[in-house]
Amino acid sequence: MMAPARLRWGCVLRNCEIRAALERSFDHLVHSSVVDDPVEVDRHRGFIGSHLVSGFSAFGLIPPALAIDPSSAGFSATALSILGLEILVALFVSRTGRLAQGYLLSACILSMLAVWVTVHTGGLGSFAVVWLAIAPIEAALSGRRSTVAGAALISGAGFLLTVFLTLSGGASRAFVFAGDSTTMNFLACVVALGYASGVAIGIERRERATSL
């Protein structure tokens, strides 16, 4: 029984070491104005790293998405390109050190993505409506009420735009994905829950670092 336990803990420690090494790889992108504050360095590094990864991953998914379903090339390429704009947000924070504004810019991008997918997959009945809640949840990592409130306003504006387009007939079901609506709604909620859980872990890490 000792060997499996020792192996399990060894894997955990190894994963922690790999994660720490990956995080340190973004240290040189943190703005010089915060390098003397370990807590702020952790916040900036986490933001820059996660948004660079998500942005480049989105652009990397464009070719396979087009190959899998050429009929929805415009829809898929636009959605992934919107998410790819997170690269510019990460570089903005890296160059200016303005993390709060970075969260608001990210909120704009996430809301744009949610609205784009929503209005092309059924409007208010789309599985992607729940994604509008992601932006203010992410903004909680900033530790600033004003930033969370700003992100909530941006998401709210996206929701109102979705309502307007749905009621005015601007939304459609041009793209119907495999599976019934219940399955898609379930998967969309799982994605949002997974993202929110990641944010919660980030907040816990930040609070723990602050208390040290």
Side-chain angles (χ1 to χ4, degrees):
M1 295 297 292
M2 292 296 295
R6 192 174 295 127
L7 178 61
R8 183 169 61 252
W9 281 111
C11 291
V12 171
L13 292 174
R14 182 59 178 168
N15 288 334
C16 290
E17 291 173 359
I18 293 174
R19 179 176 178 178
L22 289 174
E23 289 182 344
R24 287 194 298 270
S25 68
F26 294 106
D27 282 354
H28 67 286
L29 295 175
V30 175
H31 194 261
S32 58
S33 62
V34 299
V35 293
D36 294 328
D37 187 338
V39 175
E40 284 301 311
V41 167
D42 187 63
R43 288 179 181 174
H44 283 242
R45 180 176 56 205
F47 182 93
I48 293 169
S50 62
H51 287 71
L52 283 178
V53 170
S54 62
F56 280 114
S57 296
F59 281 125
L61 286 172
I62 291 178
L66 300 185
I68 292 172
D69 188 4
S71 64
S72 62
F75 168 77
S76 301
T78 301
L80 291 170
S81 296
I82 292 173
L83 185 58
L85 293 175
E86 293 284 12
I87 296 173
L88 298 180
V89 177
L91 295 178
F92 168 80
V93 173
S94 176
R95 295 295 299 273
T96 66
R98 298 177 181 176
L99 185 60
Q101 289 86 341
Y103 277 110
L104 294 179
L105 289 173
S106 180
C108 291
I109 292 172
L110 293 173
S111 297
M112 285 170 55
L113 174 63
V115 170
W116 174 261
V117 176
T118 297
V119 299
H120 287 86
T121 55
L124 290 176
S126 169
F127 63 87
V129 171
V130 69
W131 291 353
L132 286 166
I134 290 179
I137 292 174
E138 182 194 46
L141 284 171
S142 68
R144 296 182 175 90
R145 287 185 180 179
S146 59
T147 304
V148 176
L153 287 174
I154 293 170
S155 291
F159 178 74
L160 291 177
L161 178 59
T162 301
V163 172
F164 172 77
L165 291 173
T166 300
L167 297 179
S168 64
S172 66
R173 292 188 62 84
F175 301 97
V176 180
F177 298 94
D180 57 29
S181 59
T182 301
T183 301
M184 295 307 298
N185 288 333
F186 172 76
L187 293 175
C189 289
V190 168
V191 171
L193 180 61
Y195 193 92
S197 299
V199 172
I201 292 172
I203 293 174
E204 188 275 334
R205 286 183 58 202
R206 186 199 70 203
E207 294 299 326
R208 184 170 55 190
T210 304
S211 63
L212 292 178

